[in-house]
PDB file of all heavy atoms in Angstrom:
ATOM      1  N   ASP A  15       0.814  -1.217   0.000  1.00  0.00           N
ATOM      2  CA  ASP A  15       0.000   0.000   0.000  1.00  0.00           C
ATOM      3  C   ASP A  15       0.846   1.265   0.000  1.00  0.00           C
ATOM      4  O   ASP A  15       0.316   2.360  -0.179  1.00  0.00           O
ATOM      5  CB  ASP A  15      -0.904   0.030   1.242  1.00  0.00           C
ATOM      6  CG  ASP A  15      -2.100  -0.889   1.116  1.00  0.00           C
ATOM      7  OD1 ASP A  15      -2.652  -0.985   0.001  1.00  0.00           O
ATOM      8  OD2 ASP A  15      -2.482  -1.511   2.118  1.00  0.00           O
ATOM      9  N   LEU A  16       2.146   1.125   0.238  1.00  0.00           N
ATOM     10  CA  LEU A  16       3.038   2.266   0.419  1.00  0.00           C
ATOM     11  C   LEU A  16       4.187   2.139  -0.567  1.00  0.00           C
ATOM     12  O   LEU A  16       5.062   1.282  -0.411  1.00  0.00           O
ATOM     13  CB  LEU A  16       3.581   2.292   1.853  1.00  0.00           C
ATOM     14  CG  LEU A  16       2.557   2.158   2.983  1.00  0.00           C
ATOM     15  CD1 LEU A  16       3.247   1.884   4.310  1.00  0.00           C
ATOM     16  CD2 LEU A  16       1.705   3.419   3.081  1.00  0.00           C
ATOM     17  N   GLN A  17       4.198   2.960  -1.598  1.00  0.00           N
ATOM     18  CA  GLN A  17       5.192   2.838  -2.655  1.00  0.00           C
ATOM     19  C   GLN A  17       5.951   4.146  -2.848  1.00  0.00           C
ATOM     20  O   GLN A  17       5.592   5.185  -2.283  1.00  0.00           O
ATOM     21  CB  GLN A  17       4.515   2.423  -3.956  1.00  0.00           C
ATOM     22  CG  GLN A  17       3.950   1.011  -3.926  1.00  0.00           C
ATOM     23  CD  GLN A  17       5.028  -0.053  -3.844  1.00  0.00           C
ATOM     24  OE1 GLN A  17       5.963  -0.066  -4.640  1.00  0.00           O
ATOM     25  NE2 GLN A  17       4.912  -0.945  -2.880  1.00  0.00           N
ATOM     26  N   ILE A  18       7.008   4.092  -3.655  1.00  0.00           N
ATOM     27  CA  ILE A  18       7.846   5.266  -3.894  1.00  0.00           C
ATOM     28  C   ILE A  18       8.192   5.378  -5.372  1.00  0.00           C
ATOM     29  O   ILE A  18       8.386   4.359  -6.057  1.00  0.00           O
ATOM     30  CB  ILE A  18       9.139   5.204  -3.037  1.00  0.00           C
ATOM     31  CG1 ILE A  18       9.942   6.506  -3.169  1.00  0.00           C
ATOM     32  CG2 ILE A  18       9.972   3.980  -3.374  1.00  0.00           C
ATOM     33  CD1 ILE A  18      11.063   6.637  -2.155  1.00  0.00           C
ATOM     34  N   ILE A  19       8.234   6.607  -5.861  1.00  0.00           N
ATOM     35  CA  ILE A  19       8.782   6.917  -7.187  1.00  0.00           C
ATOM     36  C   ILE A  19      10.083   7.672  -6.926  1.00  0.00           C
ATOM     37  O   ILE A  19      10.078   8.730  -6.289  1.00  0.00           O
ATOM     38  CB  ILE A  19       7.816   7.777  -8.009  1.00  0.00           C
ATOM     39  CG1 ILE A  19       6.491   7.024  -8.228  1.00  0.00           C
ATOM     40  CG2 ILE A  19       8.433   8.157  -9.350  1.00  0.00           C
ATOM     41  CD1 ILE A  19       5.372   7.905  -8.736  1.00  0.00           C
ATOM     42  N   PHE A  20      11.176   7.141  -7.424  1.00  0.00           N
ATOM     43  CA  PHE A  20      12.491   7.680  -7.092  1.00  0.00           C
ATOM     44  C   PHE A  20      12.862   8.870  -7.966  1.00  0.00           C
ATOM     45  O   PHE A  20      12.308   9.079  -9.050  1.00  0.00           O
ATOM     46  CB  PHE A  20      13.550   6.591  -7.225  1.00  0.00           C
ATOM     47  CG  PHE A  20      13.440   5.504  -6.190  1.00  0.00           C
ATOM     48  CD1 PHE A  20      12.853   4.293  -6.504  1.00  0.00           C
ATOM     49  CD2 PHE A  20      13.917   5.699  -4.905  1.00  0.00           C
ATOM     50  CE1 PHE A  20      12.743   3.287  -5.565  1.00  0.00           C
ATOM     51  CE2 PHE A  20      13.813   4.693  -3.951  1.00  0.00           C
ATOM     52  CZ  PHE A  20      13.224   3.486  -4.288  1.00  0.00           C
ATOM     53  N   GLN A  21      13.833   9.616  -7.491  1.00  0.00           N
ATOM     54  CA  GLN A  21      14.294  10.828  -8.172  1.00  0.00           C
ATOM     55  C   GLN A  21      14.984  10.531  -9.491  1.00  0.00           C
ATOM     56  O   GLN A  21      14.743  11.203 -10.490  1.00  0.00           O
ATOM     57  CB  GLN A  21      15.249  11.591  -7.247  1.00  0.00           C
ATOM     58  CG  GLN A  21      15.891  12.813  -7.888  1.00  0.00           C
ATOM     59  CD  GLN A  21      16.822  13.527  -6.916  1.00  0.00           C
ATOM     60  OE1 GLN A  21      16.937  13.150  -5.760  1.00  0.00           O
ATOM     61  NE2 GLN A  21      17.478  14.565  -7.388  1.00  0.00           N
ATOM     62  N   ASP A  22      15.862   9.537  -9.490  1.00  0.00           N
ATOM     63  CA  ASP A  22      16.744   9.304 -10.640  1.00  0.00           C
ATOM     64  C   ASP A  22      16.213   8.163 -11.497  1.00  0.00           C
ATOM     65  O   ASP A  22      16.344   6.995 -11.118  1.00  0.00           O
ATOM     66  CB  ASP A  22      18.155   8.993 -10.151  1.00  0.00           C
ATOM     67  CG  ASP A  22      19.165   8.919 -11.286  1.00  0.00           C
ATOM     68  OD1 ASP A  22      18.747   8.907 -12.462  1.00  0.00           O
ATOM     69  OD2 ASP A  22      20.375   8.874 -11.007  1.00  0.00           O
ATOM     70  N   PRO A  23      15.621   8.448 -12.651  1.00  0.00           N
ATOM     71  CA  PRO A  23      15.082   7.375 -13.483  1.00  0.00           C
ATOM     72  C   PRO A  23      16.166   6.519 -14.124  1.00  0.00           C
ATOM     73  O   PRO A  23      15.873   5.448 -14.657  1.00  0.00           O
ATOM     74  CB  PRO A  23      14.275   8.122 -14.542  1.00  0.00           C
ATOM     75  CG  PRO A  23      14.936   9.452 -14.654  1.00  0.00           C
ATOM     76  CD  PRO A  23      15.421   9.776 -13.259  1.00  0.00           C
ATOM     77  N   PHE A  24      17.405   6.980 -14.082  1.00  0.00           N
ATOM     78  CA  PHE A  24      18.500   6.208 -14.671  1.00  0.00           C
ATOM     79  C   PHE A  24      19.048   5.183 -13.691  1.00  0.00           C
ATOM     80  O   PHE A  24      19.487   4.113 -14.084  1.00  0.00           O
ATOM     81  CB  PHE A  24      19.611   7.149 -15.141  1.00  0.00           C
ATOM     82  CG  PHE A  24      19.177   8.082 -16.229  1.00  0.00           C
ATOM     83  CD1 PHE A  24      18.687   9.339 -15.939  1.00  0.00           C
ATOM     84  CD2 PHE A  24      19.220   7.687 -17.559  1.00  0.00           C
ATOM     85  CE1 PHE A  24      18.261  10.203 -16.941  1.00  0.00           C
ATOM     86  CE2 PHE A  24      18.792   8.533 -18.566  1.00  0.00           C
ATOM     87  CZ  PHE A  24      18.312   9.788 -18.259  1.00  0.00           C
ATOM     88  N   ALA A  25      19.042   5.485 -12.398  1.00  0.00           N
ATOM     89  CA  ALA A  25      19.606   4.591 -11.386  1.00  0.00           C
ATOM     90  C   ALA A  25      18.573   3.668 -10.758  1.00  0.00           C
ATOM     91  O   ALA A  25      18.930   2.672 -10.137  1.00  0.00           O
ATOM     92  CB  ALA A  25      20.292   5.411 -10.291  1.00  0.00           C
ATOM     93  N   SER A  26      17.278   3.986 -10.899  1.00  0.00           N
ATOM     94  CA  SER A  26      16.255   3.240 -10.167  1.00  0.00           C
ATOM     95  C   SER A  26      15.764   1.990 -10.886  1.00  0.00           C
ATOM     96  O   SER A  26      14.984   1.226 -10.319  1.00  0.00           O
ATOM     97  CB  SER A  26      15.062   4.153  -9.868  1.00  0.00           C
ATOM     98  OG  SER A  26      14.460   4.612 -11.063  1.00  0.00           O
ATOM     99  N   LEU A  27      16.190   1.769 -12.133  1.00  0.00           N
ATOM    100  CA  LEU A  27      15.769   0.595 -12.894  1.00  0.00           C
ATOM    101  C   LEU A  27      16.954  -0.319 -13.124  1.00  0.00           C
ATOM    102  O   LEU A  27      18.022   0.124 -13.554  1.00  0.00           O
ATOM    103  CB  LEU A  27      15.174   1.012 -14.242  1.00  0.00           C
ATOM    104  CG  LEU A  27      14.001   2.003 -14.202  1.00  0.00           C
ATOM    105  CD1 LEU A  27      13.556   2.335 -15.620  1.00  0.00           C
ATOM    106  CD2 LEU A  27      12.844   1.457 -13.396  1.00  0.00           C
ATOM    107  N   ASP A  28      16.773  -1.604 -12.853  1.00  0.00           N
ATOM    108  CA  ASP A  28      17.845  -2.588 -13.039  1.00  0.00           C
ATOM    109  C   ASP A  28      18.135  -2.735 -14.536  1.00  0.00           C
ATOM    110  O   ASP A  28      17.254  -3.145 -15.305  1.00  0.00           O
ATOM    111  CB  ASP A  28      17.428  -3.930 -12.452  1.00  0.00           C
ATOM    112  CG  ASP A  28      18.588  -4.908 -12.341  1.00  0.00           C
ATOM    113  OD1 ASP A  28      19.460  -4.914 -13.239  1.00  0.00           O
ATOM    114  OD2 ASP A  28      18.629  -5.669 -11.368  1.00  0.00           O
ATOM    115  N   PRO A  29      19.360  -2.408 -14.976  1.00  0.00           N
ATOM    116  CA  PRO A  29      19.659  -2.454 -16.422  1.00  0.00           C
ATOM    117  C   PRO A  29      19.656  -3.852 -17.001  1.00  0.00           C
ATOM    118  O   PRO A  29      19.604  -4.017 -18.214  1.00  0.00           O
ATOM    119  CB  PRO A  29      21.055  -1.828 -16.500  1.00  0.00           C
ATOM    120  CG  PRO A  29      21.664  -2.070 -15.157  1.00  0.00           C
ATOM    121  CD  PRO A  29      20.527  -1.979 -14.183  1.00  0.00           C
ATOM    122  N   ARG A  30      19.683  -4.870 -16.141  1.00  0.00           N
ATOM    123  CA  ARG A  30      19.717  -6.260 -16.634  1.00  0.00           C
ATOM    124  C   ARG A  30      18.331  -6.788 -16.952  1.00  0.00           C
ATOM    125  O   ARG A  30      18.207  -7.838 -17.587  1.00  0.00           O
ATOM    126  CB  ARG A  30      20.376  -7.161 -15.579  1.00  0.00           C
ATOM    127  CG  ARG A  30      21.795  -6.770 -15.208  1.00  0.00           C
ATOM    128  CD  ARG A  30      22.248  -7.521 -13.979  1.00  0.00           C
ATOM    129  NE  ARG A  30      21.393  -7.191 -12.830  1.00  0.00           N
ATOM    130  CZ  ARG A  30      21.488  -7.769 -11.631  1.00  0.00           C
ATOM    131  NH1 ARG A  30      22.390  -8.724 -11.444  1.00  0.00           N
ATOM    132  NH2 ARG A  30      20.693  -7.411 -10.642  1.00  0.00           N
ATOM    133  N   PHE A  31      17.299  -6.099 -16.484  1.00  0.00           N
ATOM    134  CA  PHE A  31      15.931  -6.579 -16.647  1.00  0.00           C
ATOM    135  C   PHE A  31      15.239  -5.885 -17.817  1.00  0.00           C
ATOM    136  O   PHE A  31      15.439  -4.700 -18.049  1.00  0.00           O
ATOM    137  CB  PHE A  31      15.108  -6.293 -15.385  1.00  0.00           C
ATOM    138  CG  PHE A  31      15.386  -7.209 -14.227  1.00  0.00           C
ATOM    139  CD1 PHE A  31      16.463  -8.078 -14.232  1.00  0.00           C
ATOM    140  CD2 PHE A  31      14.556  -7.188 -13.123  1.00  0.00           C
ATOM    141  CE1 PHE A  31      16.717  -8.914 -13.161  1.00  0.00           C
ATOM    142  CE2 PHE A  31      14.787  -8.022 -12.039  1.00  0.00           C
ATOM    143  CZ  PHE A  31      15.869  -8.891 -12.064  1.00  0.00           C
ATOM    144  N   ARG A  32      14.411  -6.631 -18.520  1.00  0.00           N
ATOM    145  CA  ARG A  32      13.518  -6.022 -19.495  1.00  0.00           C
ATOM    146  C   ARG A  32      12.400  -5.290 -18.750  1.00  0.00           C
ATOM    147  O   ARG A  32      12.127  -5.561 -17.581  1.00  0.00           O
ATOM    148  CB  ARG A  32      12.929  -7.085 -20.407  1.00  0.00           C
ATOM    149  CG  ARG A  32      13.930  -7.832 -21.281  1.00  0.00           C
ATOM    150  CD  ARG A  32      13.225  -8.936 -22.042  1.00  0.00           C
ATOM    151  NE  ARG A  32      12.487  -9.809 -21.123  1.00  0.00           N
ATOM    152  CZ  ARG A  32      11.397 -10.490 -21.448  1.00  0.00           C
ATOM    153  NH1 ARG A  32      10.895 -10.396 -22.670  1.00  0.00           N
ATOM    154  NH2 ARG A  32      10.789 -11.263 -20.564  1.00  0.00           N
ATOM    155  N   VAL A  33      11.743  -4.392 -19.449  1.00  0.00           N
ATOM    156  CA  VAL A  33      10.682  -3.606 -18.827  1.00  0.00           C
ATOM    157  C   VAL A  33       9.598  -4.511 -18.253  1.00  0.00           C
ATOM    158  O   VAL A  33       9.095  -4.281 -17.142  1.00  0.00           O
ATOM    159  CB  VAL A  33      10.091  -2.610 -19.848  1.00  0.00           C
ATOM    160  CG1 VAL A  33       8.784  -2.012 -19.338  1.00  0.00           C
ATOM    161  CG2 VAL A  33      11.097  -1.512 -20.153  1.00  0.00           C
ATOM    162  N   GLU A  34       9.226  -5.550 -18.981  1.00  0.00           N
ATOM    163  CA  GLU A  34       8.191  -6.452 -18.471  1.00  0.00           C
ATOM    164  C   GLU A  34       8.595  -7.046 -17.131  1.00  0.00           C
ATOM    165  O   GLU A  34       7.784  -7.147 -16.206  1.00  0.00           O
ATOM    166  CB  GLU A  34       7.901  -7.566 -19.466  1.00  0.00           C
ATOM    167  CG  GLU A  34       6.826  -8.514 -18.974  1.00  0.00           C
ATOM    168  CD  GLU A  34       6.183  -9.318 -20.084  1.00  0.00           C
ATOM    169  OE1 GLU A  34       6.813  -9.495 -21.148  1.00  0.00           O
ATOM    170  OE2 GLU A  34       5.035  -9.755 -19.896  1.00  0.00           O
ATOM    171  N   ASP A  35       9.855  -7.436 -16.990  1.00  0.00           N
ATOM    172  CA  ASP A  35      10.335  -8.025 -15.740  1.00  0.00           C
ATOM    173  C   ASP A  35      10.352  -6.991 -14.614  1.00  0.00           C
ATOM    174  O   ASP A  35      10.036  -7.304 -13.462  1.00  0.00           O
ATOM    175  CB  ASP A  35      11.739  -8.608 -15.932  1.00  0.00           C
ATOM    176  CG  ASP A  35      11.775  -9.672 -17.008  1.00  0.00           C
ATOM    177  OD1 ASP A  35      10.802 -10.440 -17.106  1.00  0.00           O
ATOM    178  OD2 ASP A  35      12.762  -9.725 -17.764  1.00  0.00           O
ATOM    179  N   ILE A  36      10.731  -5.747 -14.943  1.00  0.00           N
ATOM    180  CA  ILE A  36      10.790  -4.684 -13.939  1.00  0.00           C
ATOM    181  C   ILE A  36       9.406  -4.414 -13.357  1.00  0.00           C
ATOM    182  O   ILE A  36       9.232  -4.313 -12.137  1.00  0.00           O
ATOM    183  CB  ILE A  36      11.375  -3.397 -14.558  1.00  0.00           C
ATOM    184  CG1 ILE A  36      12.867  -3.585 -14.842  1.00  0.00           C
ATOM    185  CG2 ILE A  36      11.150  -2.194 -13.648  1.00  0.00           C
ATOM    186  CD1 ILE A  36      13.469  -2.490 -15.699  1.00  0.00           C
ATOM    187  N   VAL A  37       8.412  -4.294 -14.227  1.00  0.00           N
ATOM    188  CA  VAL A  37       7.059  -3.974 -13.775  1.00  0.00           C
ATOM    189  C   VAL A  37       6.400  -5.182 -13.110  1.00  0.00           C
ATOM    190  O   VAL A  37       5.634  -5.039 -12.150  1.00  0.00           O
ATOM    191  CB  VAL A  37       6.207  -3.454 -14.951  1.00  0.00           C
ATOM    192  CG1 VAL A  37       4.778  -3.155 -14.510  1.00  0.00           C
ATOM    193  CG2 VAL A  37       6.847  -2.200 -15.554  1.00  0.00           C
ATOM    194  N   ALA A  38       6.720  -6.376 -13.584  1.00  0.00           N
ATOM    195  CA  ALA A  38       6.094  -7.593 -13.050  1.00  0.00           C
ATOM    196  C   ALA A  38       6.691  -8.034 -11.720  1.00  0.00           C
ATOM    197  O   ALA A  38       6.015  -8.737 -10.949  1.00  0.00           O
ATOM    198  CB  ALA A  38       6.223  -8.732 -14.065  1.00  0.00           C
ATOM    199  N   GLU A  39       7.917  -7.632 -11.431  1.00  0.00           N
ATOM    200  CA  GLU A  39       8.606  -8.146 -10.238  1.00  0.00           C
ATOM    201  C   GLU A  39       7.801  -7.982  -8.951  1.00  0.00           C
ATOM    202  O   GLU A  39       7.642  -8.948  -8.188  1.00  0.00           O
ATOM    203  CB  GLU A  39       9.980  -7.487 -10.101  1.00  0.00           C
ATOM    204  CG  GLU A  39      10.786  -8.047  -8.946  1.00  0.00           C
ATOM    205  CD  GLU A  39      12.165  -7.406  -8.841  1.00  0.00           C
ATOM    206  OE1 GLU A  39      12.309  -6.247  -9.256  1.00  0.00           O
ATOM    207  OE2 GLU A  39      13.086  -8.063  -8.328  1.00  0.00           O
ATOM    208  N   PRO A  40       7.271  -6.791  -8.636  1.00  0.00           N
ATOM    209  CA  PRO A  40       6.492  -6.688  -7.395  1.00  0.00           C
ATOM    210  C   PRO A  40       5.238  -7.550  -7.395  1.00  0.00           C
ATOM    211  O   PRO A  40       4.822  -8.058  -6.344  1.00  0.00           O
ATOM    212  CB  PRO A  40       6.145  -5.193  -7.311  1.00  0.00           C
ATOM    213  CG  PRO A  40       6.375  -4.637  -8.667  1.00  0.00           C
ATOM    214  CD  PRO A  40       7.432  -5.467  -9.295  1.00  0.00           C
ATOM    215  N   LEU A  41       4.620  -7.746  -8.557  1.00  0.00           N
ATOM    216  CA  LEU A  41       3.448  -8.609  -8.644  1.00  0.00           C
ATOM    217  C   LEU A  41       3.798 -10.042  -8.276  1.00  0.00           C
ATOM    218  O   LEU A  41       3.062 -10.715  -7.537  1.00  0.00           O
ATOM    219  CB  LEU A  41       2.865  -8.565 -10.061  1.00  0.00           C
ATOM    220  CG  LEU A  41       2.256  -7.239 -10.514  1.00  0.00           C
ATOM    221  CD1 LEU A  41       2.017  -7.267 -12.017  1.00  0.00           C
ATOM    222  CD2 LEU A  41       0.971  -6.950  -9.759  1.00  0.00           C
ATOM    223  N   ILE A  42       4.911 -10.506  -8.769  1.00  0.00           N
ATOM    224  CA  ILE A  42       5.334 -11.884  -8.516  1.00  0.00           C
ATOM    225  C   ILE A  42       5.716 -12.066  -7.049  1.00  0.00           C
ATOM    226  O   ILE A  42       5.350 -13.062  -6.404  1.00  0.00           O
ATOM    227  CB  ILE A  42       6.493 -12.252  -9.459  1.00  0.00           C
ATOM    228  CG1 ILE A  42       5.991 -12.272 -10.908  1.00  0.00           C
ATOM    229  CG2 ILE A  42       7.097 -13.594  -9.072  1.00  0.00           C
ATOM    230  CD1 ILE A  42       7.084 -12.324 -11.950  1.00  0.00           C
ATOM    231  N   ILE A  43       6.431 -11.092  -6.491  1.00  0.00           N
ATOM    232  CA  ILE A  43       6.868 -11.184  -5.094  1.00  0.00           C
ATOM    233  C   ILE A  43       5.668 -11.214  -4.148  1.00  0.00           C
ATOM    234  O   ILE A  43       5.615 -11.986  -3.179  1.00  0.00           O
ATOM    235  CB  ILE A  43       7.802 -10.010  -4.746  1.00  0.00           C
ATOM    236  CG1 ILE A  43       9.139 -10.181  -5.479  1.00  0.00           C
ATOM    237  CG2 ILE A  43       8.025  -9.909  -3.231  1.00  0.00           C
ATOM    238  CD1 ILE A  43      10.057  -8.977  -5.359  1.00  0.00           C
ATOM    239  N   HIS A  44       4.668 -10.374  -4.423  1.00  0.00           N
ATOM    240  CA  HIS A  44       3.536 -10.239  -3.510  1.00  0.00           C
ATOM    241  C   HIS A  44       2.378 -11.172  -3.837  1.00  0.00           C
ATOM    242  O   HIS A  44       1.387 -11.204  -3.098  1.00  0.00           O
ATOM    243  CB  HIS A  44       3.033  -8.793  -3.520  1.00  0.00           C
ATOM    244  CG  HIS A  44       3.888  -7.870  -2.712  1.00  0.00           C
ATOM    245  ND1 HIS A  44       3.583  -7.498  -1.429  1.00  0.00           N
ATOM    246  CD2 HIS A  44       5.067  -7.262  -3.005  1.00  0.00           C
ATOM    247  CE1 HIS A  44       4.523  -6.688  -0.963  1.00  0.00           C
ATOM    248  NE2 HIS A  44       5.424  -6.520  -1.911  1.00  0.00           N
ATOM    249  N   ARG A  45       2.510 -11.964  -4.903  1.00  0.00           N
ATOM    250  CA  ARG A  45       1.411 -12.843  -5.296  1.00  0.00           C
ATOM    251  C   ARG A  45       1.030 -13.800  -4.167  1.00  0.00           C
ATOM    252  O   ARG A  45      -0.148 -13.957  -3.831  1.00  0.00           O
ATOM    253  CB  ARG A  45       1.813 -13.627  -6.542  1.00  0.00           C
ATOM    254  CG  ARG A  45       0.751 -14.611  -7.026  1.00  0.00           C
ATOM    255  CD  ARG A  45       1.072 -15.091  -8.429  1.00  0.00           C
ATOM    256  NE  ARG A  45       2.444 -15.564  -8.533  1.00  0.00           N
ATOM    257  CZ  ARG A  45       3.062 -15.776  -9.702  1.00  0.00           C
ATOM    258  NH1 ARG A  45       2.424 -15.531 -10.842  1.00  0.00           N
ATOM    259  NH2 ARG A  45       4.296 -16.216  -9.746  1.00  0.00           N
ATOM    260  N   ALA A  46       2.039 -14.420  -3.543  1.00  0.00           N
ATOM    261  CA  ALA A  46       1.760 -15.360  -2.460  1.00  0.00           C
ATOM    262  C   ALA A  46       1.256 -14.639  -1.210  1.00  0.00           C
ATOM    263  O   ALA A  46       0.369 -15.132  -0.505  1.00  0.00           O
ATOM    264  CB  ALA A  46       3.023 -16.152  -2.122  1.00  0.00           C
ATOM    265  N   LEU A  47       1.796 -13.445  -0.938  1.00  0.00           N
ATOM    266  CA  LEU A  47       1.395 -12.706   0.256  1.00  0.00           C
ATOM    267  C   LEU A  47      -0.063 -12.283   0.200  1.00  0.00           C
ATOM    268  O   LEU A  47      -0.778 -12.315   1.197  1.00  0.00           O
ATOM    269  CB  LEU A  47       2.272 -11.459   0.419  1.00  0.00           C
ATOM    270  CG  LEU A  47       3.699 -11.668   0.923  1.00  0.00           C
ATOM    271  CD1 LEU A  47       4.474 -10.359   0.831  1.00  0.00           C
ATOM    272  CD2 LEU A  47       3.688 -12.164   2.370  1.00  0.00           C
ATOM    273  N   ARG A  48      -0.517 -11.868  -0.988  1.00  0.00           N
ATOM    274  CA  ARG A  48      -1.858 -11.288  -1.102  1.00  0.00           C
ATOM    275  C   ARG A  48      -2.878 -12.267  -1.677  1.00  0.00           C
ATOM    276  O   ARG A  48      -4.045 -11.926  -1.814  1.00  0.00           O
ATOM    277  CB  ARG A  48      -1.795 -10.023  -1.966  1.00  0.00           C
ATOM    278  CG  ARG A  48      -0.911  -8.961  -1.334  1.00  0.00           C
ATOM    279  CD  ARG A  48      -0.867  -7.679  -2.106  1.00  0.00           C
ATOM    280  NE  ARG A  48      -2.159  -7.008  -2.114  1.00  0.00           N
ATOM    281  CZ  ARG A  48      -2.304  -5.715  -2.416  1.00  0.00           C
ATOM    282  NH1 ARG A  48      -1.249  -4.980  -2.716  1.00  0.00           N
ATOM    283  NH2 ARG A  48      -3.488  -5.163  -2.428  1.00  0.00           N
ATOM    284  N   HIS A  49      -2.427 -13.489  -2.019  1.00  0.00           N
ATOM    285  CA  HIS A  49      -3.334 -14.534  -2.501  1.00  0.00           C
ATOM    286  C   HIS A  49      -4.188 -14.043  -3.664  1.00  0.00           C
ATOM    287  O   HIS A  49      -5.419 -14.020  -3.609  1.00  0.00           O
ATOM    288  CB  HIS A  49      -4.216 -15.041  -1.352  1.00  0.00           C
ATOM    289  CG  HIS A  49      -3.444 -15.514  -0.168  1.00  0.00           C
ATOM    290  ND1 HIS A  49      -2.644 -16.638  -0.191  1.00  0.00           N
ATOM    291  CD2 HIS A  49      -3.331 -14.995   1.086  1.00  0.00           C
ATOM    292  CE1 HIS A  49      -2.080 -16.806   0.993  1.00  0.00           C
ATOM    293  NE2 HIS A  49      -2.465 -15.825   1.782  1.00  0.00           N
ATOM    294  N   TRP A  50      -3.515 -13.610  -4.706  1.00  0.00           N
ATOM    295  CA  TRP A  50      -4.203 -13.135  -5.901  1.00  0.00           C
ATOM    296  C   TRP A  50      -4.383 -14.298  -6.875  1.00  0.00           C
ATOM    297  O   TRP A  50      -3.455 -14.651  -7.614  1.00  0.00           O
ATOM    298  CB  TRP A  50      -3.376 -12.051  -6.586  1.00  0.00           C
ATOM    299  CG  TRP A  50      -3.456 -10.705  -5.952  1.00  0.00           C
ATOM    300  CD1 TRP A  50      -4.414 -10.249  -5.112  1.00  0.00           C
ATOM    301  CD2 TRP A  50      -2.528  -9.628  -6.123  1.00  0.00           C
ATOM    302  NE1 TRP A  50      -4.154  -8.962  -4.749  1.00  0.00           N
ATOM    303  CE2 TRP A  50      -3.001  -8.556  -5.350  1.00  0.00           C
ATOM    304  CE3 TRP A  50      -1.354  -9.473  -6.856  1.00  0.00           C
ATOM    305  CZ2 TRP A  50      -2.348  -7.334  -5.285  1.00  0.00           C
ATOM    306  CZ3 TRP A  50      -0.691  -8.270  -6.804  1.00  0.00           C
ATOM    307  CH2 TRP A  50      -1.185  -7.215  -6.026  1.00  0.00           C
TER     308      TRP A  50
END
């Protein structure tokens, strides 16, 4: 419920991940916690 948008758009994204993986990561991590 509590998220952050960081100042530096160049440093805040993992360069090894594709955009789909970056956006999906929190969904996958919290899937078990929130029983979606």
Side-chain angles (χ1 to χ4, degrees):
D15 283 322
L16 310 167
Q17 292 293 308
I18 186 168
I19 299 166
F20 292 101
Q21 175 180 357
D22 187 349
F24 297 92
S26 62
L27 304 179
D28 192 323
R30 301 168 298 175
F31 284 11
R32 296 175 306 152
V33 167
E34 180 160 23
D35 301 323
I36 290 168
V37 178
E39 184 179 28
L41 293 167
I42 294 167
I43 290 172
H44 282 262
R45 178 166 51 194
L47 285 172
R48 298 183 66 162
H49 305 293
W50 282 340

